[in-house]
Amino acid sequence: MIVDAHGRRFRNLRVSLTAACNYACTYCVPDGKRLQPAQHELDGDELAYMVELIVDAAGIEKLRLTGGEPLLSPKFDEILPRLMSLGLADVSLTTNGQLIDRKAAALINSGLRRINISLDTLDPERFTAIARGGDLATVLSGMEQMRAGGLKVKVNMVPMRRRNADQILPMLEYCLERGMELRYIELMNMGHLRRGNEYLRDFISMDEILEAIGARYEFTRTDAPYDSTAVRYEIPDQGFFGIIANESEPFCSSCTRLRLSSNGFLYGCLSNSASHDVKPLLDLPRHQAMARLQGLLVRALHDKQDVSFKGEVTVMKFIGG
Ligand code: SAM
C-alpha cells in the first residue's frame, strides 16, 4: 500500500464520467461558457477497466461517480452495473438530479444505496440564476423518487452571500422534514473565482452557517470518520447536517481522495492541477499496467497539500466534483 508522511493513502476514488454538464453554475463556470465533454474521453469499457486497475493498485474502498453531470453520460447505463460488481463497501453518485426521472429504475435496481443531489436554493427564480440550466421542480421530484426507491439522499448546497444566503435555514428545514442530510459546502476558490473578487464577496464561512442555523435549532457536533470531509452535527430528534469546511476547517492532512477524470487523468488533489495520464496503460498487459500505475499513484499522493486548500485554476466540473 502506498502511504505518505502524513499516513495518508488513497481509499476514495471519484470518477468523472464526463466533463459535460446540463447546468452552468455561476461558481463553477464563467459567464457564457457551455459545458462540453472533455477531449478524448475514455469510453465505458476503458473507464471501467481503469477503475478496476486503480481499485486493485491503490486499495480503494469507496467509489463515487461524478462529473460534469454523470447522468448525462452515454456511458452511465453500461458502467454502473460493472462498477457495482467490483464488490466495494461503498459506491455512490453525485448528481444535479435533472435526469433522475429517466434513470430512476436503473439507479434503484443497481444496488446503489446512497446518492448526493446538489441543490443551492428552493426558490425557482434563484435556482435558474445560479444553475443556469434545468429546473427546480425536476430536482425535487428526483429526490422524492430516490427516497421512495429506498436510497439514502444527501443534499449538497453551496451557500453564497449575494445569491442564496437566506436559503440556509429553509434548505435545512426541507431536508430535515424528509429525512435527508444537508451538506453545506463552503465556496471553494477554484477556476474563474480565482480571478476578480467574486469569491471574497460571496464566501460564507462555517461559523456564519452555524450562526444562521443556531437562530432556530439547537445542535451538537458529532463524530465523523477520520477521513470524512464533512464536519457533522446532530439536531436532537430531528436529524443531521454537515459542513464541508474547506477553508474554516481544512481536512487536507487526512484526505484520502483520488480523482480520475473522464479523459483518463489522475488527480491527487483538488488544489493542485498536476495530473497523471493513465491512457497509455490501456495498451499494456495488465501486470505492466499495474506496475506503471503504482508509480503514478506515488506521484499523485505527493500532489496533496499538507495542510489546507490553496485554491486552483482547475474547475471542479473538469476534475470531477
Ligand atoms: N453535476 C454533479 C452535481 O451537480 O452534483 C456533479 C459535479 S459538481 C462539480 C459536484 C459538486 O461540486 C456540486 O455539489 C457543486 O455544487 C460543487 N461545486 C462546484 N464548484 C464548486 C466550488 N467552487 N465551491 C464549492 N462547491 C463547488
Side-chain angles (χ1 to χ4, degrees), residues 59-102:
I60 297 295
E61 295 156 18
K62 294 181 174 182
L63 184 66
R64 178 175 292 278
L65 305 184
T66 179
E69 172 46 45
L71 297 185
L72 203 58
S73 165
K75 303 187 270 274
F76 184 78
D77 293 348
E78 170 195 353
I79 207 165
L80 181 64
R82 216 165 133 185
L83 297 182
M84 293 304 292
S85 73
L86 294 177
L88 291 167
D90 187 19
V91 183
S92 56
L93 171 77
T94 301
T95 173
N96 62 30
Q98 276 307 312
L99 299 174
I100 283 182
D101 192 33
R102 248 185 253 175

Side-chain angles (χ1 to χ4, degrees), residues 21 27-28 66-70 94-96 116 118 120 156 158 185-190 193 316-317 321:
C21 190
Y27 50 83
C28 196
T66 179
E69 172 46 45
T94 301
T95 173
N96 62 30
N116 285 37
S118 302
D120 294 322
N156 290 347
V158 182
I185 309 178
E186 277 185 355
L187 184 64
M188 295 170 80
N189 198 2
M190 298 187 74
L193 296 185
M316 190 101 77
K317 67 109 189 166

Side-chain angles (χ1 to χ4, degrees), residues 244-257:
I244 303 186
N246 310 289
E247 287 292 330
S248 305
E249 255 188 58
F251 37 82
C252 299
S253 62
S254 61
C255 176
T256 59
R257 276 158 195 77

Side-chain angles (χ1 to χ4, degrees), residues 197-263:
N197 52 11
E198 187 177 339
Y199 174 76
L200 284 178
R201 269 197 322 230
D202 286 350
F203 177 79
I204 296 183
S205 71
M206 175 171 171
D207 280 349
E208 290 171 273
I209 296 169
L210 291 176
E211 197 181 318
I213 296 171
R216 185 167 319 160
Y217 298 102
E218 302 244 324
F219 53 82
T220 48
R221 190 164 167 160
T222 64
D223 289 340
Y226 118 94
D227 63 345
S228 167
T229 50
V231 183
R232 201 161 177 249
Y233 295 87
E234 180 170 13
I235 301 177
D237 303 321
Q238 299 200 58
F240 294 85
F241 68 91
I243 304 181
I244 303 186
N246 310 289
E247 287 292 330
S248 305
E249 255 188 58
F251 37 82
C252 299
S253 62
S254 61
C255 176
T256 59
R257 276 158 195 77
L258 172 68
R259 290 177 162 82
L260 176 63
S261 69
S262 54
N263 56 350

Side-chain angles (χ1 to χ4, degrees), residues 99-110 142 145-146 151:
L99 299 174
I100 283 182
D101 192 33
R102 248 185 253 175
K103 305 282 179 191
L107 289 168
I108 292 164
N109 298 330
S110 67
Q145 287 184 68
M146 293 297 91
L151 272 77

